Amino acid sequence: MRENPIVKNFQERLKVDEPILYDGGFGSQMFARGIELANSALANELHPATVVDIHSDYINAGAEAIGTNTFVASPLHLEMAGQDTAGAQRLTRLAVQHAKMAVEQSGKNVYIAGSVGPSPGAIEADSGDTTFGIPNDDAREAHKLVIHTLVEEGVDFLCLETMFSAKEAAMAVDVARETGIPVAVNLTYKWTKERRTGNVIYRTDWGNSPADLLEILINNGLSDGGSLLDAVSIIGVNCGAESRRDEHTGMPYAIAGIQQINTALAETGVNGKWMMAYPNAGMPKLDENHNTVYTQTPAEMASHVPALIEAGAYLIGGCCGTTPKHIKAFREAIVAHQS
């Protein structure tokens, strides 16, 4: 069995060809432990041992990188949950500290990604409109607080994830590039079909395709004419919200998403970007006890790992519904594929 390369610096690790295994779903793991909160970032203060345990379970399963419990740590999300927005920075600091504790306890070389989720409002449709959406300035300031706090606490890279608006993603990248550390940008797509050609195109809820993301990053109005794509090391796809198309959810969704990102990069003439994929564990269903369960087992998802690598994915993990058992199966699949 090949061991992961031991490289201290994440930027240097990106120069090594062997895939990086990311962790799995965090919120779903809290639910599995009976913890349901108005905002999952509150667990950093209310259930610190559980946060550390979840990180530890993923590390023990073979994850080489883990994401902080900060997906909804911004003041905007805390306000939506009726919480004190002044706690955003404190919760973010605690989240990084818990991740660091899990890494330290493991004795392994594990990278920490600072998780940055989308704002809880219609940024794309109502950009700057205070009637229906969140003002751009408010969204930017919220991202700035979380991103800079994550970096101050010592995360290895920033993971912008589950982004529905390529414009908001660009806004967050513009903030993140100030930090100088590697940045990953992951959008969440759905199946769509072009009427004229019949081609299947993945687009976000705001209608953004992988090609749209690249165009917005390259030709943006946020960085004095410079390309924001230069600040992005990793481009990917995560989550996945299909409710009726099994062939476009879970691992098949991740593979198709990576293929479309790869095509968009090639057509744009962009080189030197790694790709990332961490989908949901299939479709969510309600069991006989009305608990949410996901349809793709560890073995089923792991069987697609070789195809995901062949498609071009470099960072591989799972989102909602994926468990440490899934990540362990992914590790075994990666090792077998690399042998």
Side-chain angles (χ1 to χ4, degrees):
M1 178 185 294
R2 290 178 58 182
E3 295 294 331
N4 289 336
I6 297 181
V7 183
K8 294 292 185 183
N9 181 279
F10 186 72
Q11 193 73 269
E12 292 299 311
R13 176 62 178 88
L14 291 177
K15 298 176 182 178
V16 180
D17 286 340
E18 185 168 343
I20 296 172
L21 180 61
Y22 199 51
D23 61 10
F26 200 94
S28 52
Q29 282 297 290
M30 285 203 299
F31 293 151
R33 288 163 167 79
I35 296 174
E36 297 187 27
L37 301 169
N39 180 299
S40 58
L42 297 173
N44 295 318
E45 192 162 62
L46 301 176
H47 303 280
T50 300
V51 174
V52 175
D53 285 347
I54 293 172
H55 287 316
S56 297
D57 285 350
Y58 282 123
I59 293 171
N60 292 334
E64 190 185 351
I66 58 173
T68 56
N69 181 34
T70 50
F71 181 72
V72 288
S74 82
L76 297 177
H77 281 285
L78 290 173
E79 181 180 14
M80 289 284 288
Q83 302 295 317
D84 182 4
T85 60
Q89 188 171 55
R90 182 180 71 256
L91 292 171
T92 301
R93 292 192 188 283
L94 286 172
V96 181
Q97 291 165 17
H98 297 331
K100 283 185 172 182
M101 181 178 295
V103 172
E104 184 178 348
Q105 290 175 354
S106 74
K108 298 178 180 180
N109 188 52
V110 177
Y111 300 103
I112 298 175
S115 169
V116 181
S119 298
I123 304 301
E124 175 81 7
D126 306 302
S127 184
D129 187 322
T130 58
T131 303
F132 298 104
I134 295 173
N136 284 351
D137 287 347
D138 290 356
R140 185 183 184 88
E141 286 305 307
H143 282 310
K144 188 170 185 176
L145 183 147
V146 172
I147 286 170
H148 281 270
T149 303
L150 287 167
V151 175
E152 288 167 9
E153 287 298 310
V155 299
D156 296 294
F157 66 107
L158 292 165
C159 187
L160 314 182
E161 55 183 342
T162 323
M163 289 286 171
F164 300 100
S165 163
K167 289 183 179 179
E168 185 185 4
M171 183 190 303
V173 170
D174 191 39
V175 172
R177 72 190 180 99
E178 300 170 354
T179 69
I181 71 170
V183 178
V185 180
N186 297 283
L187 268 59
T188 292
Y189 299 99
K190 287 183 177 180
W191 177 96
T192 66
K193 181 181 284 188
E194 284 190 336
R195 290 183 180 179
R196 181 175 59 84
T197 64
N199 293 334
V200 171
I201 303 293
Y202 276 12
R203 296 187 183 278
T204 69
D205 283 341
W206 294 130
N208 301 142
S209 68
D212 293 333
L213 172 64
L214 296 180
E215 193 278 331
I216 288 170
L217 288 172
I218 293 170
N219 302 304
N220 71 90
L222 299 170
S223 58
D224 299 322
S227 172
L228 289 176
L229 192 57
D230 295 339
V232 177
S233 299
I234 302 155
I235 298 176
V237 54
N238 79 297
C239 202
E242 288 294 341
S243 59
R244 294 184 298 275
R245 298 182 181 275
D246 286 296
E247 73 277 20
H248 291 286
T249 190
M251 274 297 194
Y253 155 79
I255 293 168
I258 287 295
Q259 290 170 337
Q260 293 197 21
I261 293 170
N262 213 353
T263 298
L265 288 168
E267 290 178 347
T268 312
V270 174
N271 298 308
K273 305 299 179 186
W274 291 109
M275 288 184 287
M276 182 173 189
Y278 52 115
N280 291 350
M283 292 185 183
K285 307 281 187 181
L286 289 177
D287 64 14
E288 63 276 9
N289 297 315
H290 299 284
N291 294 318
T292 301
V293 296
Y294 287 80
T295 56
Q296 292 184 5
T297 66
E300 181 181 356
M301 291 191 79
S303 71
H304 292 281
V305 166
L308 188 55
I309 294 173
E310 293 300 323
Y314 177 68
L315 284 90
I316 296 171
C319 203
C320 305
T322 54
T323 68
K325 289 181 179 179
H326 286 82
I327 298 306
K328 183 176 185 294
F330 291 5
R331 168 57 67 201
E332 293 168 353
I334 290 172
V335 170
H337 183 74
Q338 297 293 109
S339 298

